[in-house]
Structures are given as C-alpha cells and as structure tokens.
Amino acid sequence: AEERRTCGCCSGTSWPCCCAAPGTKKKAACPGLGLFYTILSAFLFSLASLFLKKIEDVHSVEVSAFRCVFQMAFVLPGLIYYKTGFLGPKGKRIFLFFRGFLGSTAMVLLYYAYQVMPLADATVITFTSPVFTSLLAWIFLKEKYSLWDLLFTLFAVTGVILIARPPFLFGSHVTGIEGSYANHLKGTIAAIASTLSAASTIVILRKVGKSVHYFLSIWYYAVIGLIGCVIALFVLNEWRLPHCGRDRVFLILIGLLGLGGQVFLTKALQIEKAGPVSIMRTMDVVFAFILQVLFLNHLPTWWTVGGALCVVASSCGTAIRKWRHSVKKAKQREI
C-alpha cells in the first residue's frame, strides 16, 4: 500500500495536496490583512489628530517633542537588537540627517496646522504628498514625469485652493473656517510646507534605498526632531507642562497612537503592494471628516468637500499609475 504522509498545517490533508509539497504555493493566512492594517493605521492617526485638537495651551512644537521621545523609546531596543549602530554608514549620514530634519519639520508644521485650522482641511492638504513626491522625484532623481502626473498635480493644487479659499478669488467674507482667516491662511501654508517636507523625505529615502535599516531612519527622525524641538521651545519661550491631567493623558495618547499608526502602516507595506495601501490610506480623510463632525461640532463646507474630492482623486490616480507601472516592470522581469 502507498504510504500516505500528512502535514499538521493542512489539517491532515495527504501529502500531494499539502502546502509543503514541492511546487505548491502556500495560501495567505488572511487575504486583505494588509488593507485592514492600513485602515487601522489611518484610524489611529486620525484619533491622534483629534486629541491634538483637544489639547489646550500646549504649543505644537512641545507636542512634537513628546512624540519624538516616544519614537526614541520604541526604536532604541530595535537598534540594539539588529546591531545597526546609531550613526549609520558614512556615505549615508548626510542623507539621514536631512531625512531626520525634514521629517521632523513636517511633523511640527502639520501639528501646527491641526491646531489653527479645521481637522479635515489640514488632513486633506497632507494627502497631496504623493503628487509632490512625483514632481520632486522627477527633478532630483530624474524619474519619469508624464502628462498624467501633471494633471494630478493640477488637481491637487485645485483642491488646496478650494480649501484655502483666498480672498482675491472667493471674496473677503470667507465662511466655514475656525477663528480668523489669518490663522486659517497660516495653517494652510504650514500644511503645504509640511507636505513638501514629507515629499522631500520620501525622495531622500528612495535615494538611500535599502542600504540603511528602517529603524535607523526613524532614529535620526526622532533624535534630530527632539533636538530641534527643544531648541525651538527655548527660543520661543513656549515650554510649559500641561495644567490639567486630561492634557497630559492626551499627550501620552498622541505618542502611543502615532507609534501604533506607524507600526501598522509599516506592517501593511510589508505584506501588501504599495498601490492598494496608498489608495486605502485615503480613509484618513474620511475619518477626519467623521471625527470633526462628531467630536468638534464643525460641519465641513462644500468647498472643503470639493477640495477633498480633488485631492483624493489626484492621490489615488498617482498611486494607481505607480502601481500599474511597478506591476508592468515585474512582468517584464519575469519574461
């Protein structure tokens, strides 16, 4: 009689049909798990933004400093475990420095934008990052920049204009903003500058490639960010401990939620293609609108909704084009 071998991972299935058989592919443990991680990451980032809006009398630079402390506490064991060192390869240190400087600058500017303008408006502007990344990669990395990319860039700029609503286009009476229009304009400029800094960071990471460990990149981000925040706080004379226990809890939650969002986004990119993850990340905009209505009692205007649609369309279009291009290149390599 033919000997029948079984495998524990296949619930007793005979060996020719087993996952361990030569030439058979092991099924994914949970299809769509990467997209679920992306949605969870977007939700955690949105919650952190909501708690930032709830904090009173704490400057955005100080919040960023607390976030950097949490980043360092999380990354330090990883650096020790993987034995990557704290400085990185000599030829890559200048890139790591600018990655840390631009990344922390983007975080500070984004937190400032969250504090002075509606949550949904600031979130929507940050999603123009893929469009500006393509533009900067064309300028500095000589990557291809097509007419479609130009069209997506124009869509993104249109969305930002609809959110900013400059008086010379929309008149002097601008509705649907928080506080004065001067603060709204400052927040818009800060959000755009944050987006450009984040796009520059991605270009630098592409330049560095896989020659530097991911933990080392975050380490530079946290250390340089903390040093810069401490210097800025002393210059601005804005350092103060929160007055009540609620704000202190919010600061801790912002750090934990930011770390959680980054971890789940990293895990999503490890098990899912970048294109679907980039598209699913637009759920951050949806969560921002929902949280703003439910907890901040601020209804978005139709201008904001229109700007959000333009930005999401441009971001999704850019992600889909990059995804299709990578799939096409992978097929060519197989041939």
Side-chain angles (χ1 to χ4, degrees):
E2 182 182 356
E3 181 183 0
R4 298 177 63 84
R5 288 177 285 179
T6 60
C7 172
C9 67
C10 297
S11 303
T13 306
S14 58
W15 178 77
C17 301
C18 173
C19 67
T24 59
K25 294 182 179 180
K26 190 174 181 179
K27 292 185 177 180
C30 182
L33 183 61
L35 299 182
F36 172 74
Y37 283 154
T38 307
I39 296 175
L40 184 58
S41 170
F43 181 68
L44 294 179
F45 281 135
S46 299
L47 274 182
S49 305
L50 175 65
F51 291 140
L52 180 62
K53 293 285 290 185
K54 289 287 188 180
I55 288 181
E56 299 176 357
D57 298 329
V58 179
H59 200 275
S60 58
V61 178
E62 185 174 348
V63 179
S64 303
F66 277 97
R67 169 76 182 272
C68 291
V69 170
F70 276 93
Q71 294 271 23
M72 291 174 63
F74 172 76
V75 172
L76 186 58
L79 293 177
I80 297 173
Y81 178 79
Y82 289 106
K83 299 178 181 179
T84 61
F86 296 96
L87 296 178
K90 287 186 178 180
K92 305 295 182 180
R93 291 174 186 175
I94 184 65
F95 295 108
L96 288 171
F97 171 80
F98 280 109
R99 181 266 184 273
F101 176 75
L102 291 172
S104 58
T105 301
M107 174 180 60
V108 173
L109 292 172
L110 180 60
Y111 283 1
Y112 176 77
Y114 280 143
Q115 288 186 334
V116 299
M117 68 185 303
L119 178 63
D121 291 12
T123 303
V124 169
I125 293 176
T126 61
F127 271 83
T128 59
S129 180
V131 180
F132 290 118
T133 301
S134 299
L135 181 61
L136 293 177
W138 171 61
I139 296 173
F140 295 104
L141 302 180
K142 307 303 179 184
E143 294 186 4
K144 186 178 179 181
Y145 191 80
S146 64
L147 290 176
W148 281 106
D149 295 317
L150 177 60
L151 179 63
F152 296 144
T153 302
L154 294 176
F155 260 92
V157 172
T158 302
V160 173
I161 291 175
L162 291 177
I163 293 172
R165 298 190 290 281
F168 67 89
L169 291 177
F170 294 85
S172 57
H173 300 287
V174 181
T175 59
I177 62 174
E178 289 182 359
S180 64
Y181 180 77
N183 285 335
H184 183 80
L185 184 60
K186 291 178 183 178
T188 302
I189 295 173
I192 295 173
S194 171
T195 302
L196 290 173
S197 297
S200 302
T201 300
I202 296 175
V203 171
I204 291 173
L205 290 176
R206 286 186 188 177
K207 179 70 175 178
V208 172
K210 297 182 179 180
S211 60
V212 176
H213 197 276
Y214 174 74
F215 277 118
L216 190 61
S217 176
I218 300 179
W219 173 255
Y220 267 82
Y221 169 86
V223 171
I224 295 176
L226 180 60
I227 295 173
C229 288
V230 170
I231 294 174
L233 286 172
F234 277 104
V235 171
L236 298 173
N237 196 23
E238 289 286 350
W239 172 262
R240 64 173 66 90
L241 287 176
H243 297 298
C244 64
R246 189 189 69 167
D247 285 352
R248 297 176 187 179
V249 173
F250 283 162
L251 281 174
I252 296 174
L253 289 176
I254 289 171
L256 293 177
L257 291 171
L259 276 177
Q262 195 167 46
V263 167
F264 282 114
L265 181 60
T266 304
K267 290 178 68 67
L269 290 170
Q270 288 176 343
I271 62 178
E272 187 60 76
K273 293 181 179 179
V277 171
S278 299
I279 297 171
M280 196 58 65
R281 277 208 66 198
T282 55
M283 286 298 297
D284 201 339
V285 177
V286 178
F287 289 135
F289 275 97
I290 294 174
L291 295 176
Q292 177 176 296
V293 173
L294 292 180
F295 297 100
L296 301 177
N297 297 320
H298 185 85
L299 291 174
T301 63
W302 287 110
W303 294 114
T304 299
V305 174
L309 292 176
C310 289
V311 170
V312 169
S314 65
S315 178
C316 290
T318 303
I320 291 172
R321 275 188 57 79
K322 296 291 183 184
W323 181 23
R324 291 183 60 184
H325 182 66
S326 62
V327 171
K328 187 177 180 180
K329 287 182 67 175
K331 288 182 179 180
Q332 289 176 349
R333 289 172 184 170
E334 291 178 358
I335 295 174

